[in-house]
Amino acid sequence: MDLLEVALIGIVAIVAVNVIAPKIRIAAPLLLVLLGIGISFLPMVAPVEIEPEWILGGVLPPLLYSAAVNMPTMDFRRDLRTISAYSVLLVIASAVVIGYVMSRLVPGIDLATGIALGAILSPTDAVATSIVKRAGVSSRLTTVLEGESLLNDASALVLLRSATAATALLSAREIAGDFLWAVVVAVGIGLVIGKLNLAVRARIPHTTSSVAISLVVPFVAYIPAEHLNASGLVAAVVAGLVTGHGSPSRLRPQDRLTTEAVWQTLEMLLESAIFLLMGLELYGLVLEVHEEHGSIQTALWLAALGTVMVIVLRAAFVAPSLWLLARRGRRNPKTRARIAAIKDRLDAGDLSPPTRRPGTDKAEHEARVSARSAQLSTYLTRQIADLDYLSAQAFGWREGIVLVWAGMRGAVTLAAAQSLPADTPQRASLILIAFFVAAGTLLVQGGTLGWLVRLLGLARTEPDEHQEKLHELRRELSDVAAERLSDNSLTKPDGTAFSPLAVDWALKIISSLAAADDQHTAEGTNLHSERGQLRLALIELQREELLRIRDLGTYPSSVLEDTLTQLDADQLSLELRTNP
């Protein structure tokens, strides 16, 4: 059976599992792992071995990029401190503790190799967090878990690289220097590639070409970062965050919607393929351990110990972090009141303006003061919205349990283990331990996560508050559009003013007093075209206002996303009717 036949059978199996999984209420990744394990032990199936570079450099960059594009940057920013702590401190602590214990228990490995194994077992997997999303937890929990899994690969891979270096044990200063270099350079490359991606695609008139460009962006970010000994995965993540934040203002709706559909398909196939390949590799790993005269039972109990350790260490880290968040949360009301008072004084003009510089024109000075006041008002509004968000979605002990139990390992753990040098002592056994930890956490924790979420009462439903916020945001956008219509500041694409008939019609539409009149009379044809232009101008105006509100953070990200989708759909529908 050649590679093409295997790929076709794999795609059919992936699609079938993703269709069946919801009906039997089992997460598709779990079924795929089990399916792969079962297939690997069939007599006619040869042992499967996947080069780690295919996973680390071929599959993970687009998956992490896609996850970052879809992550609300506002929510990510609000919990960046917590995400950073889990991504760096927890990984380092877990790697050192697990490394010390394993170096004592596994014959023939030193502390450096033990820390390498600890680094392999420490990071949670971004692909595995798809199970978390399906469990229906709150948006903040999902953001923290997904943000952690997007960034902790850098910490783990830098530790792994340092622990397996020729010098065996590097100093803490050298490891810290490697980590800072890996992150800073990767962030710089990701920012440049993300902005360049938006700039190039904004100038491409063809949707298919724009989508094609998006497919290479994660690799364009990954490759130069790796050549500079930085984290290519972090570069891909940053490029995705920049793209996701800037695409509503830079790219056309048809480009964004088509790109999203293509990436959803690609994400489903790659994500599912990783879990299937994980299962398929088991038999080959078992054979390799037997060839090295290793013990499967020893690998099993060491993997069980490693699994218990990563859960216990995670719980020991989550508990004090929740205490610190709660302590900070108790100060939020006072902080909010103080910021709100400053904003009220600013809006009322009670704050003393800065003195005018010598030689500065009065009008120029007043314009500068007005601009600074507007910037300060925006900043204060954002701070108030952040405090409201953190208070409304505060973490308690129930969320803490989910944070601990949702820390699953996955493909990154197995791929990182397979990247161990060929001369590493007990290499086959170490890889098998990593597989058992990854598969065990996926099957046990992933298989029970939905039940745990329901037991704790954290399963998210569609609340009335979401609909209320949705209507409130749409009313606010309609008010802005009506205000711009009333002052006659909107113009046609050629710069001329809209006719009073078209403006009156649009005002009635906005206020829901009348429906659109689409009569195609000789006199009404021009008016019909003008109405279409006016509605497109209003949609663009409302989208700009929506993005301004997004940066303030006064509405939940889900409400903003739903409203943006509705505006995009309205624009596409109108463009199809006016220019089929």
Side-chain angles (χ1 to χ4, degrees):
M1 189 177 295
D2 60 25
L3 183 60
L4 178 59
E5 293 173 335
V6 172
L8 292 175
I9 293 174
I11 291 175
V12 172
I14 286 170
V15 173
V17 168
N18 278 276
V19 171
I20 295 171
K23 297 181 179 179
I24 61 177
R25 297 184 178 181
I26 299 178
L30 307 182
L31 288 180
L32 288 164
V33 171
L34 293 174
L35 177 63
I37 292 174
I39 293 175
S40 73
F41 281 92
L42 293 177
M44 72 288 296
V45 178
V48 176
E49 182 177 356
I50 306 297
E51 291 295 327
E53 288 77 13
W54 282 101
I55 303 297
L56 295 175
V59 177
L60 287 180
L63 280 177
L64 297 183
Y65 169 83
S66 179
V69 167
N70 295 315
M71 175 174 287
T73 52
M74 175 179 63
D75 296 348
F76 183 82
R77 173 186 59 79
R78 284 166 167 166
D79 275 307
L80 183 58
R81 184 185 303 181
T82 302
I83 290 171
S84 301
Y86 287 7
S87 302
V88 180
L89 300 180
L90 178 56
V91 167
I92 294 174
S94 299
V96 172
V97 173
I98 293 173
Y100 177 79
V101 173
M102 290 297 179
S103 66
R104 296 283 181 168
L105 296 177
V106 181
I109 70 170
D110 55 14
L111 180 59
T113 306
I115 292 178
L117 178 60
I120 290 168
L121 301 182
S122 296
T124 56
D125 195 88
V127 179
T129 54
S130 60
I131 300 175
V132 177
K133 293 181 180 179
R134 296 184 182 97
V137 298
S138 70
S139 59
R140 187 183 180 192
L141 263 176
T142 302
T143 299
V144 170
L145 289 167
E146 192 168 16
E148 174 195 3
S149 61
L150 288 176
L151 298 181
N152 59 15
D153 296 331
S155 309
L157 294 178
V158 168
L159 276 176
L160 176 61
R161 185 170 59 201
S162 300
T164 56
T167 52
L169 280 176
L170 300 178
S171 68
R173 178 178 297 178
E174 290 173 311
I175 295 175
D178 285 347
F179 176 76
L180 287 176
W181 172 264
V183 172
V184 172
V185 173
V187 168
I189 292 175
L191 286 171
V192 171
I193 298 301
K195 291 181 179 297
L196 187 62
N197 169 38
L198 291 172
V200 171
R201 292 174 62 194
R203 290 167 172 78
I204 296 178
H206 305 295
T207 298
T208 50
S209 299
S210 177
V211 174
I213 291 294
S214 75
L215 297 177
V216 304
V217 171
F219 302 104
V220 173
Y222 177 87
I223 292 173
E226 288 294 318
H227 279 303
L228 293 174
N229 290 325
S231 174
L233 298 181
V234 171
V237 168
V238 174
L241 290 172
V242 173
T243 300
H245 184 76
S247 60
S249 60
R250 302 294 300 275
L251 305 181
R252 299 176 302 170
Q254 56 265 42
D255 293 343
R256 288 186 279 110
L257 293 175
T258 305
T259 301
E260 183 180 357
V262 171
W263 271 97
Q264 284 179 348
T265 304
L266 184 64
E267 187 176 346
M268 185 270 288
L269 291 174
L270 291 177
E271 179 182 295
S272 300
I274 284 183
F275 291 114
L276 184 61
L277 289 173
M278 276 185 61
L280 288 173
E281 289 189 88
L282 177 58
Y283 182 68
L285 294 175
V286 170
L287 281 183
E288 192 174 349
V289 170
H290 277 302
E291 291 173 359
E292 288 190 358
H293 306 291
S295 170
I296 305 298
Q297 291 77 13
T298 300
L300 269 172
W301 86 261
L302 286 173
L305 175 63
T307 302
V308 171
M309 290 179 67
V310 296
I311 294 174
V312 171
L313 288 168
R314 186 173 181 85
F317 193 87
V318 167
S321 72
L322 291 182
W323 179 80
L324 289 174
L325 287 174
R327 181 185 178 188
R328 195 180 310 140
R330 287 192 292 270
R331 298 197 299 263
N332 282 351
K334 292 183 179 179
T335 305
R336 188 192 189 285
R338 186 168 62 251
I339 295 175
I342 297 174
K343 186 177 184 304
D344 290 340
R345 291 179 59 196
L346 177 67
D347 294 340
D350 293 340
L351 292 180
S352 301
T355 56
R356 189 170 65 180
R357 296 176 183 175
T360 304
D361 181 75
K362 181 179 180 181
E364 181 184 352
H365 173 72
E366 291 177 351
R368 183 181 292 115
V369 170
S370 178
R372 289 183 178 177
S373 297
Q375 291 176 352
L376 180 58
S377 179
T378 298
Y379 172 77
L380 295 175
T381 302
R382 187 183 296 126
Q383 293 296 309
I384 293 172
D386 289 351
L387 293 172
D388 290 341
Y389 168 84
L390 296 175
S391 297
Q393 297 204 34
F395 286 163
W397 64 271
R398 294 182 301 169
E399 287 81 7
I401 292 175
V402 174
L403 279 172
V404 172
W405 199 245
M408 292 164 284
R409 274 60 184 170
V412 172
T413 291
L414 185 56
Q418 291 173 321
S419 68
L420 287 170
D423 58 352
T424 301
Q426 301 281 356
R427 182 178 184 273
S429 295
L430 297 181
I431 295 175
L432 191 60
I433 290 171
F435 175 88
F436 284 143
V437 171
T441 56
L442 279 173
L443 296 175
V444 177
Q445 294 174 241
T448 58
L449 184 60
W451 168 82
L452 179 64
V453 169
R454 291 190 297 273
L455 178 66
L456 295 173
L458 295 177
R460 185 178 52 193
T461 58
E462 186 66 21
D464 293 337
E465 183 183 355
H466 179 85
Q467 291 299 325
E468 292 174 1
K469 286 287 187 181
L470 198 60
H471 293 312
E472 181 182 341
L473 177 57
R474 288 175 180 171
R475 284 196 301 269
E476 186 171 343
L477 296 180
S478 296
D479 291 342
V480 171
E483 181 181 348
R484 291 290 298 276
L485 280 171
S486 300
D487 62 17
N488 296 320
S489 59
L490 283 178
T491 59
K492 297 179 184 179
D494 61 5
T496 60
F498 289 101
S499 68
L501 283 176
V503 172
D504 290 342
W505 169 83
L507 285 171
K508 290 178 181 178
I509 292 296
I510 290 174
S511 59
S512 300
L513 295 178
D517 180 10
D518 288 330
Q519 295 180 357
H520 295 277
T521 62
E523 180 184 0
T525 302
N526 290 334
L527 179 59
H528 176 69
S529 175
E530 188 179 24
R531 286 173 176 175
Q533 294 177 354
L534 179 53
R535 287 196 62 190
L536 287 174
L538 289 175
I539 289 172
E540 185 60 34
L541 169 65
Q542 290 178 315
R543 185 182 290 111
E544 291 176 2
E545 179 66 14
L546 176 67
L547 296 180
R548 187 191 70 81
I549 293 173
R550 179 195 66 177
D551 293 338
L552 292 178
T554 51
Y555 285 90
S557 56
S558 58
V559 172
L560 296 166
E561 182 180 352
D562 288 349
T563 306
L564 178 61
T565 300
Q566 184 62 55
L567 289 175
D568 289 345
D570 290 344
Q571 178 174 340
L572 289 175
S573 175
L574 185 60
E575 288 175 342
L576 286 172
R577 291 201 305 270
T578 56
N579 187 24

